[in-house]
Amino acid sequence: MPTIKTDICIIGAGPAGATAALQLAYSGVPCVIIDKAVFPRDKVCGDGLSGKVLTLLGRIDPGIAARLLAASFKLDSWGVNFVAANRMGIDIPYKAGYQKASGEPRGFVCKRIDFDNFLVDELKRCPQVQLIEGVNITKHTLEADGYLLGNASGDVQVKAKLVIAANGAYSPFTKEVANIHMEPEHYVAGIRAYYKNISGIHPDKLIELHFLRNILPGYFWIFPLPNGEANVGVGMLSSSLRRKKVNLKQLLQDTVTKDPEMKERFKDAVLMGTIDGYGLPLGSRKRTLSGERYMLTGDAAYLIDPFTGEGIGNALYSGRMAAEQAIIAITADDYSAAALRAYDARVYRVLGPELIMSTKLQKLVKYPWILNMLMKMAARNKEFRNLLTSMFHEVDIRKKLTQPMFYLRLLFSR
């Protein structure tokens, strides 16, 4: 096969890469996007989609957002059920006073095999996008006029003036070119399984986050899916996992079979398929996301929310910002590290405040008394429940929740 020449090559057709390609296509800019998988393919994940996803896709093209809203593979989710170590829980809707019949949900849950394939199908609508599936790019050689990319056998080669790396948590490009490596204190190990027939699912399909004492500083989750299924898992900081010598798979199994509450909810549940693990590179530390002729996006850029573990929304945002920066680079014919640094600045300007707040919240939840206190207060105080609801869309509220004096004031004002 002759060398494919392109201005922009995107490595990885997951949410970040696909979004970058869609933004380029809708801006009239051609690109090549390559993925090692052939779609549809599964991806181990929590399967939660925040409201960012619909917002971002609608900014690229309202038609994409409309098609996602109409898709049957997702389940609308209207909020989160937080459960503290003392087993007190509180339902926090994404929007105060929401009415299911009169508005769009702020979140969704759907399997990555379906969502990612939806995005790839959107790519196939775009004649400006050359999609290459089933090719694993492992060679990245920087030359004077661009990157020469290739697979191990050398039968596929791409010459690109600019590379957008979007190939996930285990990206060879991130490690070998950007020199970013896994740090246990900024990385979560997760285990995911699919179960059917779990009892006690909220009628409005709220996702559940259980901050069980034996799992802190991580949590156990249940995310409802269509057809009576649910994504069930456990995530914990890798540094804590190593220190405590935890077997995550065993922890998950023990939780659903031995925990007093969960064993009742799972007594008729059926495990669908296998229990699989994955890594979550957290945005709890600022990193250099670009360099000479490249930008990192999504999980390859370590942008996962440190508190919720949600990464898809940030992947889409970073993918779109990388595409817009790529257009600037093409126009100016400037692919230098200095020019692309504007991408880093924008990512951290847009996503940074939320990542900083979530990092502080992540550190706070390792203290069970804080969540216990919050649940007690929320149970008896409607005003405080509304405050917690506001934290989903107001960064200033999250700032309050990260300040120790906030909790002291709460303690002495009740």
Side-chain angles (χ1 to χ4, degrees), residues 5-10 20-33 126-131 160 162 164 323 326-327 330:
K5 294 185 178 181
T6 179
D7 284 345
I8 305 168
C9 181
I10 302 168
L22 287 170
Q23 180 62 58
L24 290 169
Y26 279 84
S27 301
V29 178
C31 69
V32 172
I33 182 167
C126 303
Q128 302 94 334
V129 176
Q130 182 180 355
L131 172 64
L162 179 66
I164 297 176
I327 294 170
I330 291 170

Side-chain angles (χ1 to χ4, degrees), residues 80-132:
V80 181
N81 172 239
F82 287 100
V83 181
N86 62 0
R87 301 307 173 114
M88 287 191 70
I90 189 72
D91 295 342
I92 305 296
Y94 294 132
K95 183 179 180 181
Y98 73 94
Q99 297 292 324
K100 286 178 64 177
S102 61
E104 294 177 358
R106 289 291 184 95
F108 310 95
V109 186
C110 68
K111 293 182 178 180
R112 286 288 299 277
I113 190 172
D114 296 317
F115 178 66
D116 289 16
N117 195 56
F118 167 83
L119 292 178
V120 167
D121 282 344
E122 289 294 325
L123 292 180
K124 292 175 180 177
R125 293 171 175 265
C126 303
Q128 302 94 334
V129 176
Q130 182 180 355
L131 172 64
I132 301 173

Side-chain angles (χ1 to χ4, degrees), residues 215-356:
I215 298 176
L216 292 176
Y219 58 79
F220 173 81
W221 70 79
I222 301 174
F223 288 9
L225 284 160
N227 305 315
E229 290 187 57
N231 182 312
V232 178
V234 175
M236 186 180 290
L237 267 177
S238 294
S239 54
S240 299
L241 198 72
R242 294 179 180 183
R243 187 175 65 254
K244 297 179 179 181
K245 297 182 171 60
V246 175
N247 181 321
L248 273 187
K249 185 175 182 180
Q250 190 63 52
L251 182 59
L252 175 62
Q253 292 172 323
D254 286 348
T255 301
V256 302
T257 58
K258 298 178 181 179
D259 179 87
E261 178 185 336
M262 293 303 165
K263 71 178 183 181
E264 285 299 310
R265 294 186 60 186
F266 280 79
K267 66 181 180 181
D268 298 319
V270 178
L271 176 65
M272 312 291 289
T274 58
I275 299 175
D276 299 305
Y278 65 111
L280 291 84
L282 304 178
S284 49
R285 179 173 174 272
K286 195 172 182 180
R287 297 173 173 87
T288 301
L289 306 182
S290 63
E292 189 76 16
R293 295 186 180 271
Y294 75 83
M295 290 176 281
L296 309 178
T297 61
D299 290 5
Y302 282 57
L303 291 174
I304 290 176
D305 187 287
F307 180 60
T308 66
E310 198 267 339
I312 298 174
N314 287 353
L316 267 67
Y317 267 69
S318 62
R320 182 174 188 242
M321 286 187 273
E324 291 175 334
Q325 187 62 44
I327 294 170
I328 294 171
I330 291 170
T331 303
D333 193 27
D334 186 353
Y335 308 92
S336 66
L340 296 178
R341 210 166 289 137
Y343 165 72
D344 298 49
R346 187 178 176 197
V347 167
Y348 285 114
R349 185 175 69 251
V350 174
L351 302 179
E354 188 172 348
L355 290 173
I356 291 169

Side-chain angles (χ1 to χ4, degrees), residues 307 357-365 398 401-402 407:
F307 180 60
M357 293 307 108
S358 290
T359 300
K360 293 180 179 179
L361 288 171
Q362 176 211 47
K363 292 176 180 177
L364 283 176
V365 297
R398 293 194 185 194
L401 292 173
T402 64
Y407 298 98

